[in-house]
Amino acid sequence: MQDLVVLDWIEILEKIKSHATSDVGREAVLELKPLASAEEAYVSFKEIADATEVLNQGHRPYMQSLDLYSTWIARLKKKAVLKTLEIKDVRSFCIEALALKEALEPVDNAWAKRLHDSLMDAEEPLSAIDQILTPGGEIRSDASETLYNLFKEKERLAREVQNTLDRLVRDHQMESVIQDKFVTTREGRWVLPVRAGMQSKLPGVIHGSSQSKQTVFIEPEKVIPTNNRLRQVEAEIEDEIERLLTELSHYLSSQVIDIESSRVLMEEGDIRFSQAQFTNQINGHAIEFAKDTMELIEVRHPLLQLSGRKVISNTVLLNGQKSILLLSGPNAGGKTVLLKSIGLAAQMARCGLPICASETSRIPFFKDVLIGIGDSQSVDEELSTFAAHLKILGKAASVKGHDSLILIDEICGSTDPEEGSALARAFIEEFSANDVFAVVTSHLGPLKAGWDEDSRVLNGSMEYDPKTGRPTYGFLAGIPGDSLAIQTAKRVGVAQSIVQRAMDVLAPATRARLEGLEQIEQLKSDISILQEHLRKETKKAVETKNKYEGLLAQFNKDKDEWLQRTVKKAERKVEEAIAQAKVAETFKRHAALQEIKYQLPEIVKAKPVIQAGAPQTAEEFAKKFPPGAKVFVPTLNQDGIVQSAPNNKGDLMILSGSVRLQVNWQDLRLAGKPQNPTSQLVRKSSGGFSASMADEDRTLDLRGKTVEEALQELEIALDKAATTREDRLKIIHGHGTEALKKAVRTYLSRSVYVKKWKAGSPEHGGDGVTWAEIGEA
């Protein structure tokens, strides 16, 4: 891990971790390890891209409920009765699972679809919880009919006791007996404060005294029976609450398998969304893996990219023939930064993270990344800086193959230059023989020359501005760089005599090389101009490619839409032709029947036509159309709902719209006949809201409305539903922040038009829908 620390890998993980919304997600990010194969990395790239597509919808789902998951899941597995606080945490989990599912819904990619289809249907458990608890985690007074009645009775009894005690307090005859003009409670029973010594004036039960012993708390005889019943009601309330919590806990226990699988998916989502957010920040890209090629195009250090400063990108090209980059150049010129940028690109890619480089980059899937950066001395192992450095080099010399990357900063630089150069050359030659990729930085002059053309070593240098003497952080391949120690001394103001003396003591060959730097710098300048030109041309080519790919995608989309419109238009024409033919045929048939009717010499009463599969007896009708079934009522020319079974005469009650009538079963037909206009969805618009009629249920869609607007429209809808004597009103409010849902349900609880309301079932909209049963005002 120490190696990864000096590579800035831990800082990268910390940045990704900052985007996670749960502790388990943060821990998982810090535990990110290299994957087993390039195929797994490709899968990770794709899933992060898919997660990015979800984020681009404008929503980042949170998974904060995972932090409390362990506090209730263990008890749920044991089928224990959960406390209200634990159930509140389960509710938060369900809401976040639902939110994640809704965020994934509009996105059409493999990862989003897999998570969406595998997540639990949280609407049903959420609705079950909301029937018992308020969003704040308190027991609802209307959680059951029994509980509602008990709370009502408790209020009535408490009010009755308080009124009786208030009358006693106001009684003039009791002024000398009562210590203070207020009522209070002791041990859950309502009492009056009475002056010590005056107990005999107020018959009742004593429930203690004040600390000063000046006041005695007495429960008057008049309220003892009511107080007894009040305590009994409170006990019954506790029992009913315990029963409700037990039922709810057992139901939630039956959902444990779905809950646990959803927890895994939510954790995965938290991790992927964090990685996607980080990738967006560094402008990262997925890349391809190559066997023996390293092409890092416009590679940058991710942390520098996050700093907000202008970052110089560099392109590093290595292959099987030139697989070792020997990087030289001035101090503080960017050698180590480029070294770390390459190392982080390799580490991120093998961990399945998009890298901070162009999408056209290609690198091997490295199985080993050996790092020698910074001071590695160890006091415990009695290793000096140089000895520790040699230990790392020895380990690096033992790895082989293109799937190994070696990163060495300042190879053999902390010892005698001549010996260090010899050792460094020996190690580099060994790296070359082992067919590995390596990036090695050095200031050692002898290393910069003496390599054969067939050697795997590629010299490279970091640019600097010869006028200012400052680094430009640009990389130049093929040319060794100079450390510029003497030039740096001049720039920082070292005395000219010292600088000149340093030049005099240089070896003749070194002095000649320094004096010829002008020509070398001109060559570097020319190469730099060519590289910049190539970068611009490459960027322009990529932009042009992306532009035409976008135009092609838009063309294909427009083509598909045009084809769909053409097909639909043709289908409508065919349907219209068929309908016209049917109408013409119907008129012809009707005219022929009328002609026959007029020619008949007498009226003939035809026998009823029995439809195939139609019930033959009242008993058979009762089986096929039980109460609640839908039938067509010919006398009303509309559908109706069966309210009872046929009696001994074959008559039964039917409810159709606002009409309740008794008809014979033989006069009814199957529902959904073409003559029935209410069997089709009819859109209506009035009063500023849109409602639809379907299956006799008015639908009110309040999504996107403010609370004030929604309640105004709800009031109008209830008025209309009550006027037309409709049975139910379906209200779609969604979930959102829950403010709208809470306001709607509070309004329904107080409305004189509403008998009762309930949340929608999973097959009818879930908790984003409320059904209101209309009653008479």
Side-chain angles (χ1 to χ4, degrees):
M1 182 58 73
Q2 181 62 29
D3 292 343
L4 294 175
V5 170
V6 298
L7 190 61
D8 301 333
W9 174 242
I10 304 305
E11 290 185 59
I12 297 294
L13 294 182
E14 287 289 343
K15 294 294 184 182
I16 301 174
K17 170 190 166 185
S18 68
H19 296 295
T21 60
S22 65
D23 288 339
V24 289
R26 297 182 191 103
E27 291 172 8
V29 166
L30 292 180
E31 293 298 320
L32 189 63
K33 297 289 191 297
L35 300 173
S37 65
E39 288 69 28
E40 289 186 19
Y42 282 133
V43 171
S44 179
F45 290 159
K46 181 64 169 65
E47 290 185 352
I48 292 173
D50 289 351
T52 302
E53 191 176 350
V54 177
L55 294 178
N56 290 341
Q57 303 295 313
H59 302 285
R60 198 294 191 194
Y62 273 50
M63 286 77 171
Q64 293 174 327
S65 62
L66 295 180
D67 294 344
L68 300 169
Y69 179 83
S70 60
T71 63
W72 50 266
I73 190 62
R75 285 172 48 77
L76 210 55
K77 287 180 180 178
K78 295 176 181 177
K79 298 187 177 179
V81 178
L82 299 187
K83 301 173 184 176
T84 54
L85 183 60
E86 292 171 325
I87 295 175
K88 182 181 176 183
D89 294 337
V90 179
R91 182 178 185 275
S92 298
F93 176 85
C94 290
I95 289 173
E96 289 190 347
L98 190 62
L100 175 58
K101 197 159 189 171
E102 289 181 350
L104 297 169
E105 175 70 31
V107 181
D108 184 20
N109 62 49
W111 180 78
K113 193 173 188 308
R114 175 173 66 82
L115 260 64
H116 179 274
D117 294 346
S118 302
L119 279 167
M120 65 184 290
D121 292 325
E123 296 92 340
E124 187 174 338
L126 186 59
S127 181
I129 293 171
D130 282 351
Q131 290 294 322
I132 307 298
L133 296 186
T134 66
E138 300 173 351
I139 297 291
R140 296 176 63 97
S141 61
D142 58 350
S144 72
E145 186 176 353
T146 300
L147 192 62
Y148 178 80
N149 292 333
L150 287 171
F151 270 116
K152 285 289 185 183
E153 185 177 1
K154 179 183 177 182
E155 290 177 9
R156 180 181 61 76
L157 292 171
R159 192 164 50 247
E160 186 179 316
V161 170
Q162 196 161 5
N163 289 340
T164 301
L165 295 178
D166 285 344
R167 285 195 297 272
L168 286 172
V169 169
R170 291 193 297 269
D171 191 341
H172 294 298
Q173 297 179 1
M174 300 298 295
E175 286 184 356
S176 60
V177 178
I178 302 299
Q179 181 74 278
D180 294 297
K181 291 187 176 183
F182 66 85
V183 297
T184 185
T185 58
R186 283 293 184 275
E187 299 174 358
R189 303 179 76 89
W190 289 97
V191 296
L192 289 176
V194 176
R195 289 192 176 101
M198 304 295 288
Q199 299 94 308
S200 60
K201 301 292 184 179
L202 183 66
V205 177
I206 297 175
H207 289 282
S209 59
S210 64
Q211 289 184 346
S212 65
K213 306 299 181 182
Q214 299 298 311
T215 303
V216 178
F217 298 102
I218 296 179
E219 178 185 5
E221 283 183 349
K222 290 182 179 181
V223 299
I224 288 176
T226 309
N227 260 341
N228 287 340
R229 175 57 188 160
L230 188 59
R231 292 301 300 273
Q232 184 181 353
V233 167
E234 289 173 346
E236 291 176 6
I237 287 175
E238 292 299 320
D239 290 342
E240 178 64 7
I241 289 174
E242 184 68 17
R243 184 188 71 80
L244 291 171
L245 292 179
T246 300
E247 286 185 359
L248 179 59
S249 297
H250 287 169
Y251 163 72
L252 293 174
S253 295
S254 69
Q255 306 291 310
V256 161
I257 294 176
D258 287 342
I259 288 173
E260 288 194 299
S261 63
S262 294
R263 193 272 306 168
V264 173
L265 294 169
M266 290 169 68
E267 182 178 336
E268 178 187 342
D270 200 23
I271 295 167
R272 287 297 188 223
F273 287 134
S274 302
Q275 293 169 340
Q277 286 177 284
F278 175 76
T279 300
N280 283 339
Q281 282 190 327
I282 65 170
N283 192 25
H285 295 96
I287 60 167
E288 290 186 12
F289 292 106
K291 185 177 180 182
D292 59 355
T293 299
M294 178 189 285
E295 296 178 357
L296 283 172
I297 313 299
E298 296 184 353
V299 67
R300 305 172 303 283
H301 194 296
L303 296 180
L304 287 179
Q305 185 76 17
L306 289 173
S307 68
R309 302 192 299 268
K310 183 180 178 181
V311 182
I312 304 299
S313 61
N314 288 299
T315 296
V316 178
L317 305 176
L318 298 175
N319 52 43
Q321 287 70 44
K322 295 291 183 182
S323 62
I324 299 173
L325 174 61
L326 182 58
L327 193 59
S328 52
N331 290 302
K335 296 189 304 298
T336 304
V337 171
L338 180 58
L339 179 81
K340 288 185 176 182
S341 300
I342 295 170
L344 283 174
Q347 176 69 6
M348 290 172 68
R350 72 192 192 123
C351 290
L353 296 176
I355 70 171
C356 200
S358 169
E359 65 269 25
T360 56
S361 299
R362 298 191 304 154
I363 63 173
F365 183 83
F366 292 112
K367 299 291 181 64
D368 293 308
V369 177
L370 289 98
I371 305 164
I373 300 175
D375 188 353
S376 302
Q377 68 175 328
S378 173
V379 176
D380 295 336
E381 297 183 24
E382 298 181 351
L383 291 176
S384 66
T385 299
F386 185 64
H389 183 72
L390 287 178
K391 190 174 182 180
I392 294 172
L393 289 173
K395 184 178 179 181
S398 66
V399 299
K400 298 180 180 182
H402 283 149
D403 56 359
S404 296
L405 175 64
I406 298 171
L407 304 170
I408 304 296
D409 193 27
E410 300 297 344
I411 186 169
C412 298
S414 54
T415 188
D416 176 76
E418 185 176 352
E419 293 186 25
S421 298
L423 266 175
R425 183 177 291 273
F427 275 117
I428 293 173
E429 288 175 350
E430 186 67 18
F431 298 160
S432 177
N434 288 340
D435 202 19
V436 299
F437 280 95
V439 180
V440 178
T441 69
S442 177
H443 284 289
L444 297 173
L447 280 183
K448 300 174 186 179
W451 300 102
D452 297 334
E453 289 187 8
D454 296 336
S455 169
R456 291 179 181 272
V457 177
L458 173 68
N459 267 304
S461 60
M462 303 304 293
E463 283 185 280
Y464 74 97
D465 188 336
K467 296 179 180 178
T468 63
R470 297 185 180 279
T472 64
Y473 306 109
F475 169 69
L476 285 174
I479 298 177
D482 289 288
S483 299
L484 302 179
I486 294 179
Q487 284 83 348
T488 303
K490 287 181 182 179
R491 180 166 56 85
V492 299
V494 174
Q496 178 61 32
S497 59
I498 296 176
V499 172
Q500 186 57 50
R501 177 56 185 159
M503 289 287 290
D504 292 341
V505 298
L506 281 174
T510 304
R511 186 164 59 250
R513 180 170 56 82
L514 290 180
E515 290 172 350
L517 276 180
E518 185 176 344
Q519 293 180 354
I520 295 174
E521 291 309 321
Q522 182 60 48
L523 179 59
K524 286 185 177 181
S525 177
D526 293 342
I527 293 174
S528 178
I529 293 171
L530 289 172
Q531 283 186 329
E532 182 62 26
H533 179 70
L534 179 60
R535 265 196 294 267
K536 289 180 179 179
E537 291 298 320
T538 303
K539 184 178 180 181
K540 189 185 298 182
V542 170
E543 289 175 352
T544 304
K545 174 174 171 284
N546 293 337
K547 174 185 174 183
Y548 283 109
E549 284 180 349
L551 290 173
L552 180 60
Q554 185 62 42
F555 170 76
N556 289 328
K557 182 180 177 182
D558 293 343
K559 180 186 69 175
D560 291 340
E561 291 178 355
W562 182 82
L563 284 173
Q564 288 177 3
R565 286 197 299 270
T566 304
V567 170
K568 286 180 180 178
K569 190 182 296 183
E571 286 176 350
R572 282 198 299 271
K573 287 183 178 179
V574 171
E575 288 171 359
E576 288 172 3
I578 292 172
Q580 289 173 4
K582 286 182 177 179
V583 169
E585 184 64 27
T586 301
F587 276 120
K588 287 179 183 178
R589 197 162 47 238
H590 180 71
L593 289 172
Q594 288 292 346
E595 186 66 25
I596 293 171
K597 177 181 176 182
Y598 291 140
Q599 292 176 1
L600 285 175
E602 59 179 308
I603 297 174
V604 178
K605 186 174 181 181
K607 293 181 180 179
V609 179
I610 299 176
Q611 296 177 336
Q616 304 296 311
T617 63
E619 291 75 15
E620 192 177 343
F621 178 91
K623 287 182 181 179
K624 289 194 174 185
F625 299 97
K630 190 176 176 183
V631 292
F632 178 70
V633 187
T635 54
L636 299 177
N637 196 35
Q638 64 184 28
D639 283 348
I641 305 296
V642 175
Q643 301 288 292
S644 66
N647 58 22
N648 54 3
K649 294 182 180 180
D651 296 334
L652 66 152
M653 295 300 298
I654 294 292
L655 177 65
S656 181
S658 59
V659 179
R660 194 181 300 271
L661 72 161
Q662 189 176 39
V663 296
N664 192 274
W665 70 271
Q666 293 178 321
D667 296 330
L668 299 173
R669 302 286 182 269
L670 290 172
K673 292 293 181 182
Q675 301 96 313
N676 181 11
T678 61
S679 64
Q680 303 172 6
L681 183 63
V682 179
R683 298 296 298 174
K684 292 186 178 180
S685 180
S686 60
F689 68 94
S690 296
S692 66
M693 292 288 290
D695 295 333
E696 283 76 45
D697 293 322
R698 183 185 292 272
T699 299
L700 178 65
D701 193 343
L702 299 177
R703 289 173 294 186
K705 308 286 184 183
T706 64
V707 170
E708 185 178 357
E709 291 170 345
L711 294 184
Q712 289 177 353
E713 295 183 4
L714 179 58
E715 182 180 6
I716 295 170
L718 288 172
D719 285 341
K720 291 195 173 187
T723 303
T724 56
R725 300 185 66 182
E726 295 175 19
D727 295 318
R728 291 177 298 181
L729 176 65
K730 180 182 179 183
I731 306 157
I732 305 174
H733 43 66
H735 297 283
T737 61
E738 295 206 349
L740 181 57
K741 177 169 66 176
K742 184 177 180 181
V744 166
R745 292 179 174 175
T746 302
Y747 186 90
L748 294 176
S749 300
R750 297 172 180 170
S751 174
V752 294
Y753 296 127
V754 180
K755 287 167 60 177
K756 63 180 180 179
W757 61 265
K758 65 176 181 177
S761 59
E763 63 271 15
H764 291 102
D767 201 46
V769 169
T770 300
W771 291 87
E773 188 173 330
I774 310 300
E776 295 183 1

